[in-house]
């Protein structure tokens, strides 16, 4: 059981205090992030790109996720651990249950699934069996081939309205948290106000209940050299890794990050 629980997160949303999440893939960084005040550690399938050097998240397996989740668990000091179900690991109901169970047994406290309203059945199934779910909406990198690239989602009003309805239906299905990636800041704010559960954003403006960044991005490390607009390099300002992570925590809590320049308009 983590020190940070769903009750903690609900309390932070109600108080209007921002929630800080960071991706993490090993024990040493888990401890470093916890010492810096990070409340949620995400073992993202971004590990395919930042650790393995793949050109997308699609090659990541459940075994990869379980290995890194178990590593993070060993270094964790009270954060809530969220693990991604990788590409196609929730293609069927049976796979969803079995693969989520593997990641929970490896040390996750919550499972993150990418998708839209079609996730409702899986979310209900997992929640009924005691597994909290974070629904990842907007730019879902596992669908990059469908989107035709890493593009901002929800810019047109019809799509924005659909995303708002989907968010409400996933909350009704039992989602414990939403994560919005690369959506216009104004839409993210509307969704955050429309649901009771915490909403974490990345490239979604400053009005969500919390923020997440990919660890390597915020440390200024990049294989491709392409840095998304929503990223801030905290190493440049703070000089060493523990200070950079502490600087990120402080900036999110003070609502100084993300700034307007890190967000997208409709
Ligand atoms: O895989 C990941 O790291 C993620 C974040 C970008 C939110 O899903």
């Amino acid at each position: 059981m983590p020190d940070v629980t769903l009750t903690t997160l609900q309390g932070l949303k109600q108080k209007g205090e921002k929630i800080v999440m960071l991706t993490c893939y090993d024990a040493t960084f888990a401890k470093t992030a916890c010492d810096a005040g990070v409340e949620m550690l995400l073992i993202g399938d971004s590990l395919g790109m930042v650790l393995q050097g793949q050109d997308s998240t699609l090659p990541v397996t459940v075994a990869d996720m379980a290995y890194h989740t178990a590593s993070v668990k060993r270094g964790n000091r009270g954060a809530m651990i969220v693990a991604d179900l990788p590409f196609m690991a929730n293609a069927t109901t049976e796979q969803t249950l079995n693969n989520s169970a593997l990641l929970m047994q490896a040390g996750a406290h919550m499972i993150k699934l990418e998708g839209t309203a079609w996730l409702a059945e899986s979310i209900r199934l997992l929640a009924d069996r005691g597994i909290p779910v974070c629904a990842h909406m907007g730019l879902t990198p596992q669908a990059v081939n469908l989107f035709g690239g890493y593009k901002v989602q929800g810019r047109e009003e019809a799509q924005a309205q659909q995303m708002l309805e989907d968010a409400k239906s996933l909350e009704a299905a039992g989602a414990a948290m939403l994560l919005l990636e690369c959506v216009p800041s104004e839409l993210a704010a509307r969704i955050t106000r429309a649901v009771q559960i915490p909403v974490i954003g990345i490239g979604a403006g400053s009005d969500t209940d919390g923020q997440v960044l990919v660890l390597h991005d915020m440390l200024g490390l990049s294989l491709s050299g392409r840095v998304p607009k929503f990223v801030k390099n905290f190493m440049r300002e703070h000089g060493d890794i523990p200070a950079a992570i502490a600087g990120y925590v402080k900036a999110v809590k003070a609502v100084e990050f993300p700034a307007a320049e890190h967000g997208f308009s409709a």
Side-chain angles (χ1 to χ4, degrees):
M1 174 96 154
D3 293 343
V4 176
T5 64
L6 290 182
T7 312
T8 318
L9 302 178
Q10 273 299 343
L12 291 172
K13 175 164 179 134
Q14 270 149 27
K15 270 197 292 180
E17 181 179 332
K18 301 291 181 186
I19 299 163
V20 187
M21 181 191 245
L22 185 62
T23 71
C24 188
Y25 315 100
D26 72 24
T28 306
F29 272 100
K31 179 177 182 303
T32 306
C34 288
D35 289 347
V38 172
E39 289 147 336
M40 303 188 80
L41 300 173
L42 170 65
I43 300 94
D45 59 359
S46 52
L47 68 85
M49 297 170 88
V50 298
L51 299 190
Q52 298 174 344
Q54 314 278 8
D55 61 5
S56 78
T57 59
L58 273 61
V60 176
T61 64
V62 174
D64 293 334
M65 295 305 302
Y67 173 87
H68 288 283
T69 301
S71 304
V72 167
K73 177 193 161 84
R74 287 180 214 114
N76 184 34
R77 301 290 184 268
M80 179 175 280
I81 298 177
V82 184
D84 267 345
L85 266 199
F87 181 62
M88 282 294 143
N90 59 330
T92 67
T93 305
E94 199 181 350
Q95 283 176 323
T96 305
L97 288 176
N98 291 342
N99 291 326
S100 299
L102 283 175
L103 298 185
M104 293 297 282
Q105 287 173 332
H109 305 115
M110 183 186 278
I111 298 297
K112 178 160 80 60
L113 304 175
E114 292 186 11
T116 55
W118 63 269
L119 289 178
E121 190 195 348
S122 304
I123 291 173
R124 202 166 288 119
L125 216 57
L126 292 171
D128 283 349
R129 285 156 182 79
I131 299 182
V133 180
C134 171
H136 180 159
M137 302 172 65
L139 170 56
T140 47
Q142 290 169 17
V144 61
N145 293 299
L146 202 62
F147 293 145
Y150 296 98
K151 298 176 182 165
V152 177
Q153 302 295 308
R155 278 196 149 136
E156 283 120 43
E157 184 49 34
Q159 202 196 9
Q161 195 55 40
Q162 186 62 56
M163 216 183 279
L164 184 62
E165 293 311 317
D166 288 355
K168 290 193 228 166
S169 72
L170 296 182
E171 176 181 42
M177 195 166 90
L178 297 179
L179 190 150
L180 300 177
E181 177 166 354
C182 290
V183 305
S185 306
E186 195 260 328
L187 171 60
R190 268 165 80 193
I191 294 175
T192 304
R193 284 194 301 269
V195 297
Q196 306 305 310
I197 53 177
V199 178
I200 304 292
I202 176 166
S206 60
D207 289 330
T208 53
D209 300 309
Q211 298 293 327
V212 60
L213 279 179
V214 170
L215 174 66
H216 293 59
D217 287 347
M218 56 84 72
L219 294 178
L221 303 171
S222 169
L223 263 179
S224 68
R226 285 189 304 273
V227 182
K229 172 183 159 77
F230 55 79
V231 169
K232 177 170 173 182
N233 177 348
F234 284 87
M235 265 303 252
R236 199 172 287 138
E237 200 176 310
H238 295 279
D240 68 45
I241 291 172
I245 299 177
Y248 165 63
V249 173
K250 192 162 168 264
V252 172
K253 291 283 181 190
V255 203
E256 287 164 0
F257 176 81
E261 80 233 33
H262 301 114
F264 300 100
S265 55

